Amino acid sequence: MELGLIGLGRMGGNMARRLIEGGHHVVAYDVSSEQVAAAAELGATGAGSVADLVVRLSPPRAVWLMVPAGKPTEDAVTTLADRLAGGDILVDGGNSYYRDSQRRAALLAGKGVSFLDVGTSGGIWGLAGGYCLTVGGDADAYRRLEPVFQTLAPSPGQGYGHVGPSGAGHFVKMVHNGIEYGLMQAYAEGFDLMQAKPEFQLDLADIARIWRHGSVIRSWLLDLAAAALQEDPGLEQVKAYVEDSGEGRWTVQEAIELAVPLPVISLALQARFRSRQEQPFSGRLLAALRRQFGGHAIRRPE
């Protein structure tokens, strides 16, 4: 099957390779000409621009976006909306906000273009293990591109599916990432407690290895924790500064709008905020208050 792919970063480039190795014809474009050249070496047809990519595809066309959420995706959708025609399909495989996906689907529907929002999970490991894909949008467009989803998924019958109308794919991925926040935070806290108990001289890497098999808390995230602890047992090469890419915030905001309690995910998001503060004002105020009411000692900045 022929597919246009825009965005050849680490995940997009790996997806291009998996598709090519799966027998699909990929027409690839990226703002980086080096990335386009690398894809061409794998067997893709390189394009010099978005317009060039569209021209190189045979109607009815299918174009997959793997670009950052927000303005880059918005700009790409706007550009493609002026170039695609009735019967074409546009796929957004990035981490876009689901309401943006609903709006984009409505915009493209007015031009006769189908829009599929695909929540894509798998990270840098997707090339070898496949990607988990939750697809929202028109069911007929989904069926037309199912061979592509089957190639990208872990197997033709696992790890992908049509989950609902426009926006549903990215909504499910948003919740997926919120759950991920909570799981990661739970692992981090548990290992933190164990490393704080020096009398047992616990080997955290070995404990992670043991838990990976048979334990009720085994998971791919635990596999990754074991690998990280094996490489750097004290995590001395890692700063305790954790970014968030937006999905956790959207998940918590949605929970507030729907009045659905999400204490674990909400606190996991707050913990990420806290990780970025070396000398938080709130902590300094707490220390000042203890000194004010009880005369407790404070520690001065060095």
Side-chain angles (χ1 to χ4, degrees):
M1 183 173 184
E2 184 179 66
L3 181 74
L5 180 61
I6 298 176
L8 300 171
R10 179 175 289 184
M11 183 177 284
N14 285 344
M15 291 175 70
R17 180 172 179 176
R18 192 171 175 93
L19 288 167
I20 293 166
E21 292 177 350
H24 299 277
H25 175 220
V26 175
V27 180
Y29 170 70
D30 191 274
V31 293
S32 167
S33 58
E34 290 82 5
Q35 296 282 16
V36 176
E41 288 182 3
L42 294 173
T45 297
S49 66
V50 172
D52 184 35
L53 177 140
V54 173
V55 170
R56 290 176 180 272
L57 293 169
S58 301
R61 292 160 289 219
V63 179
W64 188 304
L65 294 176
M66 282 303 293
V67 298
K71 190 175 187 302
T73 297
E74 187 70 20
D75 290 346
V77 171
T78 300
T79 299
L80 286 162
D82 294 333
R83 290 168 171 79
L84 296 178
D88 292 345
I89 301 174
L90 178 57
V91 178
D92 178 10
N95 281 326
S96 294
Y97 184 41
Y98 80 94
R99 293 191 188 278
D100 288 336
S101 297
Q102 291 176 315
R103 173 176 53 79
R104 291 163 184 156
L107 168 70
L108 291 165
K111 300 175 179 290
V113 177
S114 297
F115 181 83
L116 296 177
D117 51 286
V118 180
T120 307
S121 182
I124 61 176
W125 300 90
L127 174 60
Y131 299 91
C132 177
L133 307 168
T134 53
V135 187
D138 179 70
D140 289 336
Y142 165 79
R143 283 189 287 270
R144 181 176 142 195
L145 290 190
E146 191 166 6
V148 171
F149 302 138
Q150 290 176 330
T151 300
L152 292 173
S155 73
Q158 293 182 323
Y160 78 95
H162 183 254
V163 297
S166 294
H170 281 153
F171 179 83
V172 171
K173 180 56 162 51
M174 177 190 76
V175 176
H176 164 285
N177 284 20
I179 293 171
E180 179 183 296
Y181 278 41
L183 289 171
M184 292 172 69
Q185 185 64 28
Y187 282 126
E189 291 178 6
F191 280 93
D192 190 20
L193 181 60
M194 288 189 289
Q195 70 85 32
K197 194 69 170 176
E199 67 184 87
F200 290 144
Q201 298 182 332
L202 299 174
D203 184 335
L204 300 188
D206 192 50
I207 291 169
R209 177 191 63 79
I210 294 168
W211 282 353
R212 291 178 60 197
H213 305 283
S215 166
V216 296
I217 62 168
R218 65 188 183 275
S219 73
W220 183 49
L221 286 173
L222 183 59
D223 295 344
L224 298 178
L229 291 167
Q230 185 66 40
E231 294 170 5
D232 183 5
L235 300 180
E236 296 174 356
Q237 304 303 312
V238 181
K239 187 175 181 180
Y241 186 104
V242 187
E243 290 282 8
D244 71 287
S245 54
E247 297 89 347
R249 299 187 191 208
W250 298 336
T251 304
V252 172
Q253 289 167 357
E254 191 74 21
I256 293 171
E257 291 181 15
L258 297 176
V260 174
L262 297 185
V264 172
I265 295 174
S266 298
L267 288 174
L269 176 64
Q270 296 293 329
R272 293 194 178 198
F273 296 158
R274 175 62 182 84
S275 76
R276 302 169 206 166
Q277 299 177 305
E278 293 185 4
Q279 286 290 335
F281 184 82
S282 61
R284 285 179 280 150
L285 182 58
L286 284 172
L289 286 172
R290 291 186 77 245
R291 180 178 62 174
Q292 289 291 331
F293 74 70
H296 299 285
I298 60 171
R299 297 187 181 187
R300 300 286 183 182
E302 296 181 0

